[in-house]
Amino acid sequence: MVLRGIEQRLERVFEGVFGRAFRTNVQPVELARKLAKEMDEHRSTSVTRVYVPNEYTIYLSPGDREQFEGYENSLVSELEEYLSEHASRENYALLTPPRIVFETDEDLSVGEFGIATRMAQYGRRGDEEAEAVESPPPGATMVYKPRTQPTEAASLAELGVEREVAVLSWAGERRVLDQRRSVLGRSRDADVQIEDPNVSRRHAEIVQEGSTYWLVDLGSTNGTEVDGRRVQRARLDDGSRFTIGETTVTFSTERE
């Protein structure tokens, strides 16, 4: 069964390799099962379909969030796939493919985590997203607590984990993005400086949301293009190419 296969992969990849780090901390396979539980418990029945939330925010303690650094994107992708398969198996309807975002909550202890859900549908308002059709009411976050006391976690170096990074390449230049928001522009204050007179001082930015990267134009003079089409916001995949000014930039993800 596909769903069980994903569970086994989560156990093997994230608990086999990282077992010592997560022995009593947040377990990835536990996140998967609790996400499915939240999906089940927030069903909404229409005339012909059973709708379930498509957006999930996972709140982690600072200590637990730190343990996922470097392979958070891979974990998010696995969890999103898990929810998709669960919805398919239960014949649930989704407004969009499941989307998962990790957030840090200083009020949580190591091993505790919260899950907030919402059912959101986006449309076009010029180049902006429409508001979600439904948002969770205050206090809707479900908090799960560990059954055992936390132990010291292993470091990425001790575990031999390769970290996934985003990389920009253009005109013989190469830059690794080491933060969730990186501004591209001609200014020396930009996170990624591109020496092109047709590039604005603060031209665009790349934003990481969970496992997804977005290219966002910052009101530049000459605009931002993807595949010859001017965009305000566009999703970047491995190998995506975009143009700002007269410079074409290639976006890729690598392991280091």
Side-chain angles (χ1 to χ4, degrees):
M1 186 174 64
V2 175
L3 194 63
R4 180 54 188 161
I6 299 173
E7 282 192 10
Q8 290 174 340
R9 191 162 69 238
L10 281 166
E11 290 173 336
R12 181 175 64 252
V13 175
F14 293 102
E15 293 182 4
V17 178
F18 312 123
R20 186 153 59 94
F22 295 102
R23 210 169 25 236
T24 54
N25 293 49
V26 172
Q27 304 261 346
V29 74
E30 181 183 10
L31 290 177
R33 291 167 181 167
K34 290 299 190 290
L35 284 167
K37 180 175 183 290
E38 291 298 312
M39 176 179 279
D40 292 338
E41 293 185 353
H42 290 85
R43 298 187 300 263
S44 178
T45 304
S46 69
V47 177
T48 59
R49 296 183 178 182
V50 177
Y51 287 94
V52 290
N54 55 325
E55 293 197 354
Y56 298 78
T57 302
I58 300 176
Y59 296 94
L60 298 167
S61 69
D64 281 317
R65 181 73 184 276
E66 183 179 356
Q67 303 310 313
F68 292 120
E69 183 181 3
Y71 47 92
E72 181 176 303
N73 291 347
S74 297
L75 176 56
V76 167
S77 296
E78 292 281 1
L79 293 175
E80 289 174 342
E81 183 182 356
Y82 184 89
L83 281 182
S84 292
E85 292 296 341
H86 181 72
S88 177
R89 185 182 68 170
E90 299 296 331
N91 201 28
Y92 292 151
L94 289 159
L95 296 176
T96 66
R99 178 172 178 265
I100 294 173
V101 176
F102 280 0
E103 297 288 351
T104 303
D105 189 333
E106 300 284 347
D107 293 331
L108 293 174
S109 300
V110 172
E112 296 180 349
F113 64 93
I115 299 176
T117 67
R118 76 169 181 167
M119 195 179 299
Q121 183 174 15
Y122 298 104
R124 302 291 296 179
R125 290 182 180 174
D127 290 311
E128 297 181 357
E129 291 178 336
E131 294 180 356
V133 297
E134 180 179 332
S135 298
T141 301
M142 183 63 187
V143 177
Y144 296 91
K145 297 187 177 182
R147 298 178 181 177
T148 57
Q149 294 299 313
T151 58
E152 183 177 355
S155 68
L156 289 177
E158 292 175 314
L159 296 170
V161 177
E162 292 182 329
R163 186 167 67 98
E164 184 176 88
V165 296
V167 179
L168 298 182
S169 304
W170 73 98
E173 301 285 340
R174 183 179 184 276
R175 178 66 184 271
V176 175
L177 304 184
D178 53 7
Q179 52 195 21
R180 291 187 175 274
R181 287 182 177 271
S182 300
V183 174
L184 286 64
R186 197 177 72 252
S187 171
R188 292 185 178 181
D189 295 329
D191 300 306
V192 180
Q193 184 181 12
I194 297 180
E195 297 181 355
D196 179 340
N198 293 300
V199 170
S200 298
R201 293 178 59 82
R202 289 173 57 87
H203 196 108
E205 70 176 346
I206 293 179
V207 181
Q208 180 184 359
E209 296 179 356
S211 62
T212 304
Y213 290 86
W214 296 90
L215 173 66
V216 181
D217 186 86
L218 297 178
S220 64
T221 301
N222 294 317
T224 300
E225 294 186 357
V226 176
D227 296 328
R229 181 174 59 89
R230 181 170 289 199
V231 299
Q232 180 64 33
R233 175 182 168 94
R235 175 172 176 163
L236 295 175
D237 298 312
D238 187 31
S240 292
R241 293 162 62 89
F242 61 90
T243 301
I244 57 176
E246 298 295 327
T247 302
T248 298
V249 182
T250 301
F251 172 88
S252 61
T253 55
E254 301 176 2
R255 293 188 176 275
E256 63 172 18

